[in-house]
Amino acid sequence: MAAMESTPVPGMRLYVIVWVALLLIVGAEVALTYAGLPTKTLLYALLTLAVVEAGLGVMYFMHLKYERRTLFWSLIPALIFVFIMMNQFWSDAYRLRSLHQ
Amino acid sequence: MSEPEVSLALGHGAVLEESPFGIESKKLVMWLFIVADAATFGALLFGYGYLRVGSPNWIRPFAFIPTILNGMVMTAVLLTSSLTMLAAVGAAQAGRRGAGVRWLGVTAVLGIVFAALHLREWFNLFAQGWSPSTNPMGGSVLFGGTFFGITGLHLLHVVCGVVAILLVALAFRRGRLDAGHVETTGLYWHFVDLVWMFVFPLVYLMNAR
């Protein structure tokens, strides 16, 4: 029987670098918020930065980068698919808005 | 008793085949929970977006001081707690039980600080007349419902995480749990942090004045 693999743990130095990067991204988000961008542009910018933060968190803090690929491919595409499917509802939200105006 | 020993004792020979994921069952189960919970938070955030887009009289009530600044401090506290959790996992895996317990304690304290800052903000909003169904500034009353709903569910996760960390720390110190349990608890804690990475920009920054 093959023994269960223990996840190789990167050193604290890498974690601190990722932590600093995450703090900088939060700072960038706040700066963008007060940069006077149009709402839609701001939303896309904040979402992009949040996805980058989530990626760093999942891959490094949660060690998914160091696990077998099968774990990544079993979990992440399904979740992304669910989020993509949720986008079907926007057209109804805009319909609702037009009804109120 | 280790996982293979349990399997042998129960006569489950097939379970002894190598896991396709190469991780312990408890860690895989935590990942499955995280994916399901991520979908839950995703649905809440999509629901919030739906209501916001569908409400022409949506307002942006948050001033930089105190709300956004408080949110920035909360974010920094939560991110730092993820770092201390990583230190706890590293110490536990290296067999430094005492250091692992101490780092778990620091993580729990940071979680409590986050919850305290959150509750202080909530009570400030209540004092201004906000509630899940009232809006003292005029405009859509749905803001309170979505704000308190999403941040409340996240706060519940933080509180549960703090309780779990303290319980695991106690059992780990007594030798009843191993480094794998600390790592699995860490996965949950990082997930709580990760959810906040979406809540802060979408619920706080997108509602900044």
PDB file of all heavy atoms in Angstrom, chain A residues 10-23:
ATOM      1  N   PRO A  10       6.149  24.884   1.788  1.00  0.00           N
ATOM      2  CA  PRO A  10       7.141  25.918   1.490  1.00  0.00           C
ATOM      3  C   PRO A  10       7.492  26.690   2.765  1.00  0.00           C
ATOM      4  O   PRO A  10       6.732  26.672   3.722  1.00  0.00           O
ATOM      5  CB  PRO A  10       6.438  26.806   0.462  1.00  0.00           C
ATOM      6  CG  PRO A  10       5.000  26.497   0.572  1.00  0.00           C
ATOM      7  CD  PRO A  10       4.846  25.166   1.204  1.00  0.00           C
ATOM      8  N   GLY A  11       8.614  27.355   2.755  1.00  0.00           N
ATOM      9  CA  GLY A  11       9.063  28.052   3.967  1.00  0.00           C
ATOM     10  C   GLY A  11       8.233  29.292   4.265  1.00  0.00           C
ATOM     11  O   GLY A  11       7.459  29.767   3.434  1.00  0.00           O
ATOM     12  N   MET A  12       8.403  29.811   5.489  1.00  0.00           N
ATOM     13  CA  MET A  12       7.650  30.994   5.914  1.00  0.00           C
ATOM     14  C   MET A  12       7.979  32.212   5.056  1.00  0.00           C
ATOM     15  O   MET A  12       7.165  33.119   4.923  1.00  0.00           O
ATOM     16  CB  MET A  12       7.946  31.313   7.387  1.00  0.00           C
ATOM     17  CG  MET A  12       7.186  30.458   8.396  1.00  0.00           C
ATOM     18  SD  MET A  12       5.391  30.461   8.169  1.00  0.00           S
ATOM     19  CE  MET A  12       4.939  32.088   8.735  1.00  0.00           C
ATOM     20  N   ARG A  13       9.192  32.215   4.482  1.00  0.00           N
ATOM     21  CA  ARG A  13       9.595  33.375   3.678  1.00  0.00           C
ATOM     22  C   ARG A  13       8.613  33.584   2.515  1.00  0.00           C
ATOM     23  O   ARG A  13       8.186  34.708   2.252  1.00  0.00           O
ATOM     24  CB  ARG A  13      11.019  33.145   3.156  1.00  0.00           C
ATOM     25  CG  ARG A  13      11.624  34.363   2.515  1.00  0.00           C
ATOM     26  CD  ARG A  13      13.118  34.169   2.239  1.00  0.00           C
ATOM     27  NE  ARG A  13      13.660  35.305   1.537  1.00  0.00           N
ATOM     28  CZ  ARG A  13      13.652  35.432   0.214  1.00  0.00           C
ATOM     29  NH1 ARG A  13      13.156  34.475  -0.518  1.00  0.00           N
ATOM     30  NH2 ARG A  13      14.136  36.517  -0.359  1.00  0.00           N
ATOM     31  N   LEU A  14       8.287  32.481   1.837  1.00  0.00           N
ATOM     32  CA  LEU A  14       7.346  32.570   0.715  1.00  0.00           C
ATOM     33  C   LEU A  14       5.967  33.024   1.202  1.00  0.00           C
ATOM     34  O   LEU A  14       5.302  33.847   0.553  1.00  0.00           O
ATOM     35  CB  LEU A  14       7.241  31.217   0.015  1.00  0.00           C
ATOM     36  CG  LEU A  14       6.265  31.161  -1.170  1.00  0.00           C
ATOM     37  CD1 LEU A  14       6.702  32.102  -2.283  1.00  0.00           C
ATOM     38  CD2 LEU A  14       6.128  29.748  -1.705  1.00  0.00           C
ATOM     39  N   TYR A  15       5.559  32.506   2.367  1.00  0.00           N
ATOM     40  CA  TYR A  15       4.254  32.893   2.905  1.00  0.00           C
ATOM     41  C   TYR A  15       4.213  34.396   3.202  1.00  0.00           C
ATOM     42  O   TYR A  15       3.199  35.061   2.962  1.00  0.00           O
ATOM     43  CB  TYR A  15       3.954  32.126   4.194  1.00  0.00           C
ATOM     44  CG  TYR A  15       3.727  30.654   4.028  1.00  0.00           C
ATOM     45  CD1 TYR A  15       4.149  29.750   4.993  1.00  0.00           C
ATOM     46  CD2 TYR A  15       3.077  30.145   2.906  1.00  0.00           C
ATOM     47  CE1 TYR A  15       3.932  28.395   4.858  1.00  0.00           C
ATOM     48  CE2 TYR A  15       2.857  28.796   2.759  1.00  0.00           C
ATOM     49  CZ  TYR A  15       3.292  27.921   3.740  1.00  0.00           C
ATOM     50  OH  TYR A  15       3.070  26.585   3.593  1.00  0.00           O
ATOM     51  N   VAL A  16       5.315  34.897   3.755  1.00  0.00           N
ATOM     52  CA  VAL A  16       5.352  36.331   4.094  1.00  0.00           C
ATOM     53  C   VAL A  16       5.285  37.167   2.810  1.00  0.00           C
ATOM     54  O   VAL A  16       4.590  38.197   2.760  1.00  0.00           O
ATOM     55  CB  VAL A  16       6.624  36.664   4.918  1.00  0.00           C
ATOM     56  CG1 VAL A  16       6.779  38.170   5.078  1.00  0.00           C
ATOM     57  CG2 VAL A  16       6.556  35.995   6.288  1.00  0.00           C
ATOM     58  N   ILE A  17       5.970  36.701   1.746  1.00  0.00           N
ATOM     59  CA  ILE A  17       5.921  37.424   0.462  1.00  0.00           C
ATOM     60  C   ILE A  17       4.471  37.470  -0.058  1.00  0.00           C
ATOM     61  O   ILE A  17       3.978  38.514  -0.494  1.00  0.00           O
ATOM     62  CB  ILE A  17       6.866  36.765  -0.571  1.00  0.00           C
ATOM     63  CG1 ILE A  17       8.321  36.985  -0.151  1.00  0.00           C
ATOM     64  CG2 ILE A  17       6.619  37.307  -1.972  1.00  0.00           C
ATOM     65  CD1 ILE A  17       9.320  36.177  -0.955  1.00  0.00           C
ATOM     66  N   VAL A  18       3.786  36.317   0.003  1.00  0.00           N
ATOM     67  CA  VAL A  18       2.387  36.258  -0.464  1.00  0.00           C
ATOM     68  C   VAL A  18       1.506  37.154   0.408  1.00  0.00           C
ATOM     69  O   VAL A  18       0.640  37.875  -0.103  1.00  0.00           O
ATOM     70  CB  VAL A  18       1.863  34.794  -0.454  1.00  0.00           C
ATOM     71  CG1 VAL A  18       0.377  34.740  -0.769  1.00  0.00           C
ATOM     72  CG2 VAL A  18       2.639  33.947  -1.439  1.00  0.00           C
ATOM     73  N   TRP A  19       1.745  37.124   1.717  1.00  0.00           N
ATOM     74  CA  TRP A  19       0.974  37.954   2.655  1.00  0.00           C
ATOM     75  C   TRP A  19       1.140  39.444   2.322  1.00  0.00           C
ATOM     76  O   TRP A  19       0.157  40.190   2.265  1.00  0.00           O
ATOM     77  CB  TRP A  19       1.445  37.642   4.079  1.00  0.00           C
ATOM     78  CG  TRP A  19       0.883  38.496   5.164  1.00  0.00           C
ATOM     79  CD1 TRP A  19      -0.391  38.478   5.646  1.00  0.00           C
ATOM     80  CD2 TRP A  19       1.588  39.480   5.935  1.00  0.00           C
ATOM     81  NE1 TRP A  19      -0.526  39.397   6.667  1.00  0.00           N
ATOM     82  CE2 TRP A  19       0.680  40.027   6.865  1.00  0.00           C
ATOM     83  CE3 TRP A  19       2.900  39.947   5.932  1.00  0.00           C
ATOM     84  CZ2 TRP A  19       1.033  41.015   7.768  1.00  0.00           C
ATOM     85  CZ3 TRP A  19       3.258  40.930   6.843  1.00  0.00           C
ATOM     86  CH2 TRP A  19       2.342  41.447   7.741  1.00  0.00           C
ATOM     87  N   VAL A  20       2.391  39.860   2.069  1.00  0.00           N
ATOM     88  CA  VAL A  20       2.643  41.264   1.702  1.00  0.00           C
ATOM     89  C   VAL A  20       1.936  41.593   0.383  1.00  0.00           C
ATOM     90  O   VAL A  20       1.308  42.654   0.240  1.00  0.00           O
ATOM     91  CB  VAL A  20       4.165  41.541   1.597  1.00  0.00           C
ATOM     92  CG1 VAL A  20       4.428  42.913   0.993  1.00  0.00           C
ATOM     93  CG2 VAL A  20       4.824  41.433   2.970  1.00  0.00           C
ATOM     94  N   ALA A  21       2.013  40.664  -0.578  1.00  0.00           N
ATOM     95  CA  ALA A  21       1.353  40.881  -1.878  1.00  0.00           C
ATOM     96  C   ALA A  21      -0.155  41.068  -1.692  1.00  0.00           C
ATOM     97  O   ALA A  21      -0.770  41.958  -2.302  1.00  0.00           O
ATOM     98  CB  ALA A  21       1.626  39.704  -2.810  1.00  0.00           C
ATOM     99  N   LEU A  22      -0.743  40.242  -0.813  1.00  0.00           N
ATOM    100  CA  LEU A  22      -2.190  40.347  -0.565  1.00  0.00           C
ATOM    101  C   LEU A  22      -2.543  41.690   0.071  1.00  0.00           C
ATOM    102  O   LEU A  22      -3.531  42.331  -0.300  1.00  0.00           O
ATOM    103  CB  LEU A  22      -2.657  39.187   0.332  1.00  0.00           C
ATOM    104  CG  LEU A  22      -2.623  37.795  -0.307  1.00  0.00           C
ATOM    105  CD1 LEU A  22      -2.902  36.712   0.726  1.00  0.00           C
ATOM    106  CD2 LEU A  22      -3.633  37.692  -1.441  1.00  0.00           C
ATOM    107  N   LEU A  23      -1.709  42.140   1.017  1.00  0.00           N
ATOM    108  CA  LEU A  23      -1.959  43.441   1.647  1.00  0.00           C
ATOM    109  C   LEU A  23      -1.852  44.570   0.614  1.00  0.00           C
ATOM    110  O   LEU A  23      -2.652  45.512   0.620  1.00  0.00           O
ATOM    111  CB  LEU A  23      -0.952  43.674   2.779  1.00  0.00           C
ATOM    112  CG  LEU A  23      -1.161  42.857   4.062  1.00  0.00           C
ATOM    113  CD1 LEU A  23      -0.011  43.098   5.041  1.00  0.00           C
ATOM    114  CD2 LEU A  23      -2.489  43.202   4.728  1.00  0.00           C
TER     115      LEU A  23
END
